[in-house]
Amino acid sequence: MRELGGEIDVPVAYRAVKPEHRGRRLKRFLKEGRITIATFTSAATFNNFIEMMGNEAFELLKGVSIAAIGPVTAKAIEKAGLRVEIMPKEATIEAMVEEIIKKMTRR
C-alpha cells in the first residue's frame, strides 16, 4: 500500500503499564486477606505485579487463588513457581470472569 502512496496507521490497542504508585494499597489489601483471587491478563501484568511487590510478592500470594486469562499467561506464572487455579478455555476477560464465578459458587 505504501508503494502505491497509501498511509498506514497502526494504533496501539493494548499495553501493560506498571502503575507509578507502586501498589501500596494492593500490598496492604493482600496482607489483610481482603483479596482472595488475583487475576492476570498477560505475562506482562504478572511480571509487573512481581516487580511492584518486590521480595514479598510470593508470600503475599499465599492463600490467594490465581486466575490467568490463558495458557501463555499461565505459563509465565507457573514458570515463577506459582500454581494457576483458574483459567478459561477461551482467552477473554468475560470467559475468565465466568470461570471465577463458577469457582466461587462451588465453594
Side-chain angles (χ1 to χ4, degrees), residues 1 4 26 28-29 34 43 71 84 86 102:
M1 288 186 63
L4 298 173
L26 174 59
R28 181 170 45 91
F29 284 0
R34 294 171 66 180
V84 173
I86 303 165
K102 284 181 196 174

Side-chain angles (χ1 to χ4, degrees), residues 46-89:
F46 172 72
N47 293 330
N48 284 344
F49 171 83
I50 297 298
E51 189 176 322
M52 286 172 50
M53 297 298 115
N55 296 334
E56 295 179 273
F58 295 96
E59 185 65 31
L60 291 168
L61 288 174
K62 282 187 178 175
V64 175
S65 295
I66 297 176
I69 197 165
V72 173
T73 305
K75 184 176 178 181
I77 294 166
E78 291 169 349
K79 186 177 177 183
L82 297 170
R83 185 172 155 265
V84 173
E85 291 184 41
I86 303 165
M87 185 179 73
K89 290 183 175 103

Side-chain angles (χ1 to χ4, degrees), residues 39 67 86 88 92-103:
T39 60
I86 303 165
T92 66
I93 297 289
E94 183 178 357
M96 186 168 66
V97 169
E98 288 174 15
E99 286 300 312
I100 290 169
I101 291 168
K102 284 181 196 174
K103 179 179 176 57

